[in-house]
Amino acid sequence: MNAIPKLDQADLTLLHELRGHRRRHRAAAKPAAEIAAAQTAPPTPTLGAKAADWITARVGSWRFILWQSGLLVLWLSANVFAWVQAWDPYPFILLNLVLSFQAAYTAPIIMMSQNRMGDIDRARAQDDYNINLKAELEIETLHQKIDLLRETEIAKLVALVEKLEARLDAKA
């Protein structure tokens, strides 16, 4: 019959040190997580932010690209074939001006929307971090409970083995 090894003083000291480390880590991590969660709450969208998101959603779609391509083909066709009096002859300077104007306004709007999405993503990442931190702490608590159960089981088994040894010694 294999004897169950007893925990010596070094093992017990190490176990208590680990438990103390877990407690300190948990006590330090909770307030930091709460502070970080309060600081990274996503800002409420303003009217400008909502407009930027709406414009970005429209400009960044195939529907917009197809409509703009159709308008460009009409513009070029009308000026090349002069169906109507050619208001923008061949180097299409007016078309270049219109497209530059459109790009000058849509680029910052798209950047505003991307910045807002970045803020939202950062807030979500912080929320994920907080959830993971809480899960880690819960897992550590479960480990402590399991360790405590194992310790009590080992202590009971050691006591039973000692009783059995005493009985065997008494019979012999």
Side-chain angles (χ1 to χ4, degrees), residues 75-80 88-98:
W75 183 293
L76 294 173
S77 300
N79 283 290
V80 168
D88 189 19
Y90 166 60
F92 307 113
I93 294 172
L94 184 59
L95 177 62
N96 190 12
L97 178 68
V98 168

Side-chain angles (χ1 to χ4, degrees), residues 117-138:
M117 290 299 144
D119 292 341
I120 291 170
D121 289 343
R122 274 188 291 284
R124 285 183 182 158
Q126 185 62 44
D127 288 343
D128 288 344
Y129 173 77
N130 292 338
I131 289 168
N132 290 340
L133 185 62
K134 185 175 181 180
E136 180 182 350
L137 293 173
E138 291 296 323

Side-chain angles (χ1 to χ4, degrees), residues 55-126:
I55 290 170
T56 300
R58 300 311 178 272
V59 170
S61 69
W62 277 106
R63 186 176 185 181
F64 175 80
I65 291 172
L66 293 174
W67 271 100
Q68 182 154 357
S69 298
L71 289 174
L72 289 175
V73 167
L74 284 174
W75 183 293
L76 294 173
S77 300
N79 283 290
V80 168
F81 299 118
W83 291 329
V84 182
Q85 183 181 9
W87 65 89
D88 189 19
Y90 166 60
F92 307 113
I93 294 172
L94 184 59
L95 177 62
N96 190 12
L97 178 68
V98 168
L99 292 175
S100 297
F101 181 78
Q102 177 190 5
Y105 273 93
T106 54
I109 291 172
I110 290 170
M111 289 173 66
M112 283 188 287
S113 179
Q114 286 178 338
N115 288 340
R116 193 170 103 68
M117 290 299 144
D119 292 341
I120 291 170
D121 289 343
R122 274 188 291 284
R124 285 183 182 158
Q126 185 62 44

Side-chain angles (χ1 to χ4, degrees), residues 12-35:
L12 289 173
T13 304
L14 180 63
L15 187 62
H16 290 296
E17 285 177 14
L18 287 173
R19 284 187 179 149
H21 174 72
R22 285 181 185 164
R23 285 186 196 110
R24 285 189 303 275
H25 177 70
R26 186 180 313 121
K30 283 185 180 179
E34 291 169 3
I35 291 168

